[in-house]
Amino acid sequence: MISRVKRLNHRKILSCLLLAALPLVAHADDAPLFVPQWLGAQYTFVDQHQWRVHSPYSGPLSLDANGSTARSHTFGAYFGIQLPARFQIYVDVEMFKGEGVSNATGLGGLTNGDIIRSGVASLGKTPYVARSYLRWTVPLGDETAPVERGQDQLPGSEAVKHIEVKAGLMAVNDDFDKNRYADSTRTQFMNWSLWNNTTWDFAADTRGYTYGVMLGWIMPGWSLRYGIYRMPYEANGQRLISSLSESNGQQLELTLQPKPDGWALRFLGFYNKGNMGIYQQALDIAQLTGQVPDIHADDAPGRHKFGFGINGELPVADNGDTGFFMRTGWNDGHTESFIFTEVDRLLSGGFQLSGVHWGRSDDRLGVGIAIDGLSRIHADYLQNGGKGFLLGDGTLRYGPEQIAEVYYNVAVIDHLTLSPDFQFIRNPGYNRDRGPARFAGLRAHVEF
């Protein structure tokens, strides 16, 4: 099976490189049907330093008490093909190199959003296919609106009212939990709890991608999206379960936005079914055996996890370049944190300010805060020495993880931005005995 998967991945990568080599991809706006179109490329570099952390004790997944410095690099190239009858094909190739501070553990709200692309160490640092999916739209009216060229977005026009269908390999958060001011770890906030709803344990492999189907009903003023995707076999695992009836991640999101550039509210619900553990059962087994609780040893098929989130954005000035955002989220917290991170409760918010006020119209200042929490039973599990895939200090004196981040995105020249970033976190890993933790970083982002 493993060799078959490797051959399939190699074929996908080869086909993508062949698409990239075709001479007709010079400019997407002029490309005819059936011709692969180059939609963009990006490179992001993050250099981040973590200062020493007060640490009376530590476990296998704690922040490094002596501090840590790490660098990460992500590369991406994005392609699309326009087919007849409003069908489109998208293929993206990416590569990740480097690592996160403290081996990207010890926090619910990790400080570098790009390290989600690193996967596990055994995956290597070679190019991989990130997305490979078919998109189809069905117009529901005659009114159209222009669509600009962008990553996974072919230029042209599209019906204002339409049905959208996507099927294949993709990232679930490409279509759900979007936010104008807190959505891109490469140009906005870098902390996981500020650019995403971290209580939303969406289906994905360790790099953040999975196979599935997304259905969207898009209307003026509102939209409704539903998606069902393949879950991994184990927590933070790369291998996906093939049977959707056996294991799946489902989400439904209603977006209200009366005006295209006005305020927006999004209501998200999710339900996961998979091979997961239950914290209370892991604690009960540990009490009977006298051993440390192990949530992974309690994994069993047919377990479920559910939750919801609310996401809002409010433009206030500068043609929407200045505005506020907020997110709140909750999941049941009884079943194992399985995919994204270890957060059961979230409240976050902040603002983006346009640099037009000091003569730098393309610059952006962002300030955000987030409060992450755990369910009582999840905290008890960690207090008794249990560990997840990100957390495990050996014990725990519980306190909500409190995060503050400030970044300034400088438009240096066309296509290049530099962003100094500072983060301050109280109770890292939900532990009052540790921290506070401080992080300073510099991000460079090139995009064409």
Side-chain angles (χ1 to χ4, degrees):
M1 170 64 78
I2 293 175
S3 62
R4 181 173 176 266
V5 172
K6 286 182 178 178
R7 289 197 300 270
L8 180 60
N9 287 339
H10 292 163
R11 289 170 185 164
K12 287 182 177 179
I13 293 174
L14 179 61
S15 65
C16 293
L17 295 176
L18 288 173
L19 294 179
L22 289 176
L24 296 176
V25 300
H27 198 282
D29 293 343
D30 302 322
L33 291 175
F34 305 110
V35 176
Q37 303 178 36
W38 174 64
L39 299 178
Q42 75 87 29
Y43 164 68
T44 303
F45 166 75
V46 175
D47 187 320
Q48 193 167 62
H49 175 72
Q50 169 205 314
W51 276 273
R52 291 176 61 92
V53 176
H54 172 70
S55 177
Y57 53 85
S58 63
L61 296 175
S62 297
L63 283 179
D64 190 334
N66 296 317
S68 176
T69 299
R71 297 174 179 87
S72 67
H73 311 257
T74 56
F75 309 81
Y78 311 101
F79 305 90
I81 303 175
Q82 182 69 57
L83 301 176
R86 298 175 299 278
F87 282 95
Q88 300 171 338
I89 295 175
Y90 293 95
V91 179
D92 300 345
V93 180
E94 292 184 345
M95 183 170 66
F96 178 94
K97 291 183 177 295
E99 59 186 8
V101 292
S102 292
N103 295 315
T105 60
L107 293 166
L110 290 175
T111 56
N112 178 357
D114 244 5
I115 60 171
I116 194 175
R117 309 303 176 202
S118 65
V120 296
S122 60
L123 293 180
K125 306 297 183 181
T126 56
Y128 57 88
V129 174
R131 299 173 183 85
S132 178
Y133 65 88
L134 180 70
R135 180 176 183 263
W136 181 48
T137 58
V138 181
L140 300 177
D142 295 330
E143 183 182 0
T144 62
V147 177
E148 296 182 355
R149 169 179 172 260
Q151 179 183 332
D152 301 324
Q153 184 171 283
L154 286 162
S157 62
E158 195 164 83
V160 173
K161 303 177 184 179
H162 63 272
I163 299 293
E164 178 183 17
V165 182
K166 292 170 65 173
L169 175 64
M170 64 191 93
V172 180
N173 58 345
D174 285 346
D175 295 297
F176 297 88
D177 193 44
K178 307 297 290 179
N179 192 289
R180 179 172 184 169
Y181 306 111
D183 193 63
S184 172
T185 186
R186 292 168 178 166
T187 58
Q188 297 172 325
F189 296 98
M190 293 202 300
N191 191 284
W192 289 25
S193 292
L194 287 168
W195 63 264
N196 209 82
N197 187 331
T198 39
T199 66
W200 174 37
D201 210 19
F202 58 86
D205 61 20
T206 52
R207 283 185 169 131
Y209 303 104
T210 186
Y211 291 89
V213 177
M214 192 283 296
L215 307 175
W217 184 10
I218 317 301
M219 300 292 284
W222 63 272
S223 64
L224 185 66
R225 289 181 171 87
Y226 166 79
I228 181 168
Y229 305 89
R230 289 167 58 182
M231 292 277 287
Y233 275 85
E234 60 184 354
N236 198 35
Q238 181 67 10
R239 187 184 176 197
L240 300 171
I241 296 178
S242 58
S243 171
L244 285 176
S245 60
E246 178 183 346
S247 177
N248 62 72
Q250 301 181 59
Q251 32 273 309
L252 181 69
E253 184 178 64
L254 172 66
T255 298
L256 303 178
Q257 190 170 21
K259 297 180 180 179
D261 294 321
W263 64 266
L265 272 177
R266 299 174 181 89
F267 302 90
L268 172 70
F270 78 92
Y271 177 89
N272 292 345
K273 177 183 176 183
N275 187 46
M276 299 179 281
I278 296 176
Y279 291 113
Q280 185 62 63
Q281 291 190 187
L283 285 167
D284 292 344
I285 293 171
Q287 187 174 12
L288 289 172
T289 61
Q291 298 178 341
V292 173
D294 183 359
I295 190 68
H296 312 297
D298 186 57
D299 285 352
R303 302 279 176 72
H304 65 266
K305 189 180 189 73
F306 66 92
F308 65 84
I310 302 174
N311 168 337
E313 61 190 59
L314 178 64
V316 294
D318 310 320
N319 295 317
D321 290 336
T322 294
F324 295 88
F325 73 93
M326 61 77 65
R327 280 187 176 95
T328 185
W330 176 96
N331 68 51
D332 62 73
H334 297 292
T335 311
E336 179 180 10
S337 291
F338 204 66
I339 305 163
F340 187 54
T341 187
E342 296 192 54
V343 178
D344 302 322
R345 314 285 185 261
L346 170 71
L347 179 63
S348 68
F351 65 87
Q352 173 183 287
L353 181 63
S354 171
V356 70
H357 299 282
W358 50 91
R360 299 279 304 176
S361 59
D362 293 327
D363 290 4
R364 300 288 183 269
L365 170 68
V367 178
I369 58 173
I371 301 174
D372 293 336
L374 295 179
S375 67
R376 180 192 58 79
I377 196 64
H378 193 167
D380 287 349
Y381 170 79
L382 295 172
Q383 183 179 347
N384 282 273
K387 63 179 183 178
F389 60 89
L390 292 178
L391 301 178
D393 286 339
T395 184
L396 183 73
R397 190 164 70 91
Y398 176 75
E401 195 173 76
Q402 301 167 21
I403 301 166
E405 180 178 0
V406 178
Y407 74 86
Y408 185 81
N409 201 36
V410 184
V412 181
I413 57 175
D414 286 347
H415 310 296
L416 170 64
T417 61
L418 293 177
S419 305
D421 180 274
F422 180 77
Q423 298 179 47
F424 177 85
I425 302 179
R426 291 187 62 195
N427 308 328
Y430 310 96
N431 198 337
R432 294 182 185 273
D433 289 337
R434 298 175 61 76
R438 298 172 177 85
F439 307 81
L442 179 65
R443 173 181 56 196
H445 177 71
V446 180
E447 183 175 333
F448 295 94

